[in-house]
Amino acid sequence: MEHTEQLTPTTDPTTTPSRAQRRGLRTHRWRRDAVELSAVFLSVTAADLVAKLVVHGPDGPAVLGVSAVALLATALFHTWWAHRHQLHGPPAPDAPAPPGAPEAEPLRGPLHDFEGSTLWRVRTTVQDSPGSLARVCAALAGRQVNIVSMQSHPLPTGAVDEFFVRAPRSLTRADLTALVAGAGGHDIWTGPADAHDLVDVPTHVLALATRTALDAAELPIALRQLFGQCSIRQYPGAAARGTAGVDGHVMRLPVPSGDLVELTRPQLPFTPTEFARAQALVELDTLLGPRVPDVRAQLSVPAGAELTVRRADADDKAAALAMHHRCSPETLRKRYHGPVRDADRYLDHLLDARHGQALTVETADGRIVALGHLMWDDDSAEVAVLVEDAWQRRGLGLDLMRRMSALALEAGVETVYAVTQSSNTGLIATMRRLAAPLDYEVDEGTLVITAHLAEAAEELPVPWQTRPGR
C-alpha cells in the first residue's frame, strides 16, 4: 500500500526578474568585468618588474626565494581565515522576501496547539490495495488530526494499521471512528493514549529484551508492557498439549519450563507481527536459561544482628526447606492456608524466577530466616511473607513487603494483594503499614487484602537500598 504523488513543475511569477532587475544585473556584470581587467594589467606589470629584478639585480635568487615564501605564507593565511569564518562566522542573512509577499507567521491551529488537543490510539484494518492507507491519512488530515506515529501489521488479506494521533478536543471518540470508517477502514478500535505510548517500537522492544535478559522474572512483565492491557495466565505442563499461535484475542506461547503462557486482550485482536515479537522474547528467555540478578542490601535489626536481603532462586531450596522445618505448624498454616506437610512442595514453584520474584533474608552464616514472594497475576501481583518464629516481630516482614511493593511498581504493577486467614493479625498489620489504600474481601474465613500502591501516602523505598529494620 504505497501512495505516490507526481509533482508537476510550475512557474512562479514572483521568481521571474522584471525589466529593471535585468538592467541592474547587466550594470553589475559590466562593473565586475572592468575590475577584473584592471587586476590583470596590474598583475602583468608586477610580474614584469619582478622578472627584471631577478635577471639583472645582484640578489635575484634571494628576492625570488623571499617572494615564494611570502606567496606561500599569504596562501596559508587566506586558507586559515576562510576556514575560520566558515565555521565560526555569523550565519548569512536570509534572502529578502519578494515585494508584496506576506510575512511569515508562527504555526498555529489544532495541529500545533498541544494544550487544545487529545492523544488517541487508533487501530484499523484496511484492504491491501494501493491508496487505501492514503485515504485514511487524507481523511484524518481533513479534520486537522495530526498523525504522530504509525506502524503497519501485515495480514494475509489486508493490513492492520495502528496510529497515534493528536486530534482537536472537539473531535470525540465516535467522530474519530466514523472518520476512519468513512475512509475505508473496518474493525476499528480507538482509545486514549499518553506520551509513554509514543516510544519508538524497535527501541521499546530492545529495552524489554534487555530487561528480560537480565532477569527471568521480567518475561511476563515484558509481555504485558509490549501489548498493553492484557491478561496473562500460565498453565503448568500444558506446553505439549497446547497449540502455540494467535487465535483472535488469544495468544498462546510455550515457555522453557514446559508451561503454556496464554495472553488475552479483549479490546484488540493479536496480529502475526505481535506474535512474532512475543515469540522472540520467549526464545531469548529460553536461550539464556534461569537467571536472577545478584542484588542485595544490608538490614540491621534492633537486636543488632546483621542480615542480608537478596533475590532468591532454585539454589536456595535446601536452605528454605531447613527454615520450614524450624517454623511452627501454626506459622506454616498461616502462610500456605493448607496442610503443613504440603508446604515443602510449593518451593519449586515459588523459587522459579519465571513465576515472579523471591526475596530472602539470611544471616551472616547463610541461614535463611525469612522469605518473601512476589508472584505476577494478570495486571496485579500476589505478595506473601514467611518469617521464622524466632525472628518474628523484628520488622523483617514489613521490610520484605515494602521491597516487594517497590519492585511491583518498578514493573508497572500498581496493585498487590495478599491471601491469608482472617485471624492472621500480623500480616494485616503489615499491609496497613504500607500506607496505601486497602480493599478487604472475606470469603469463608479467607481474607484477600488488596493494596493500591500508586495511591500510597508515603513513597516506597528503593528496593535494594540498605537501611535499618523496624
Side-chain angles (χ1 to χ4, degrees), residues 197-287:
D197 296 321
L198 299 180
V199 179
D200 176 62
V201 175
T203 303
H204 185 46
V205 174
L206 285 174
L208 295 178
T210 301
R211 291 180 56 176
T212 303
L214 295 175
D215 189 353
E218 291 287 338
L219 179 61
I221 298 301
L223 293 173
R224 182 176 292 110
Q225 292 185 358
L226 185 59
F227 302 127
Q229 292 295 329
C230 62
S231 300
I232 300 179
R233 298 291 178 95
Q234 189 159 341
Y235 298 95
R241 302 190 304 270
T243 302
V246 173
D247 183 13
H249 295 269
V250 179
M251 180 190 298
R252 296 181 179 90
L253 295 162
V255 293
S257 61
D259 298 350
L260 186 71
V261 175
E262 184 178 271
L263 286 74
T264 305
R265 188 172 61 184
Q267 72 274 21
L268 281 177
F270 291 105
T271 66
T273 302
E274 291 176 318
F275 175 74
R277 293 170 182 168
Q279 196 172 33
L281 285 177
V282 172
E283 289 176 354
L284 175 65
D285 181 69
T286 304
L287 179 65

Side-chain angles (χ1 to χ4, degrees), residues 128-146:
D128 188 10
S129 60
S132 56
L133 175 59
R135 284 191 291 271
V136 175
C137 295
L140 295 173
R143 292 293 299 272
Q144 297 294 299
V145 178
N146 184 28

